[in-house]
Amino acid sequence: NRFTDLRLHPEIDFIDSPSAIWENDRILLHDEEYLYDWRPEQQTIEILRFSEPHYSNMFKSIRRIFPYRGHYYLFCAIQGVFKVSIQEGAIYTQEHLTAPVKLLSNNVYNATMDRDSVFWLATGLGIVRFDPSTHTVINYSYEQNLPNLYQDRAPRINDSGYFAFNTSEQFIWARKKDLSPTGIPSNI
């Protein structure tokens, strides 16, 4: 008896508009209320909650989740970036990146990962390059001739080093090497 539609699973009331991460033996799904750990082979699903109660209402702001070296990165439209681990039905925060210390903005609307395992974030104030292996963050604000990326659009990055954004009004593309950090004139 496999569950073909998790929204109808007897242990879950209703998963509204889930997004998912597929891994070897699990699928992590999230909606506006919870993060779910689904193990199809074992036919189990578990509701995960933050170990810190003050983050419990954060699920509705999660835009993307990426696995990375045994942890997960949660990119949120209100509270920045969380590096978390999942243990015994709970989500534990390992690191929390926020503005103004690390990020341009806590409003991370979308994220993508390039072939070098570097995250590129579309925020409310520009693009952020985040390398989780070195914890290096480089901000590229709108001063650098970047479009306003308020829309939930992730940058598309190809293996040749080009990235592109499309907004409702324009299509922008450039090479990653032509980006200049905030405060330095850009070649775009």
Side-chain angles (χ1 to χ4, degrees), residues 2 33 38 41-42 54 58 78 106 113 125 155 177:
R2 298 215 179 260
E33 300 295 324
W38 178 33
E41 293 299 318
Q42 300 166 5
H54 57 279
M58 190 192 79
I78 298 172
N106 287 335
M113 182 185 277
L125 296 175
K177 70 179 188 176

Side-chain angles (χ1 to χ4, degrees), residues 62-82:
I62 295 174
R63 293 296 183 251
R64 295 293 301 267
I65 302 173
F66 283 95
Y68 182 80
R69 295 187 179 172
H71 293 92
Y72 298 92
Y73 282 90
L74 310 179
F75 297 93
C76 304
I78 298 172
Q79 297 182 1
V81 179
F82 290 85

Side-chain angles (χ1 to χ4, degrees), residues 112-185:
T112 192
M113 182 185 277
D114 68 15
R115 70 175 177 181
D116 298 321
S117 297
V118 171
F119 292 115
W120 292 85
L121 290 61
T123 76
L125 296 175
I127 299 170
V128 176
R129 180 191 184 276
F130 170 54
D131 185 342
S133 67
T134 62
H135 294 277
T136 305
V137 175
I138 302 174
N139 292 305
Y140 305 96
S141 69
Y142 295 133
E143 299 167 359
Q144 313 313 116
N145 301 316
L146 296 171
N148 186 334
L149 299 172
Y150 180 81
Q151 296 89 351
D152 287 340
R153 307 207 197 287
R156 287 148 182 86
I157 300 172
N158 71 15
D159 291 340
S160 300
Y162 285 90
F163 74 91
F165 291 94
N166 64 304
T167 70
S168 58
E169 299 167 0
Q170 55 189 325
F171 180 80
I172 305 293
W173 68 272
R175 296 175 299 194
K176 291 188 290 186
K177 70 179 188 176
D178 290 335
L179 287 172
S180 298
T182 300
I184 298 173

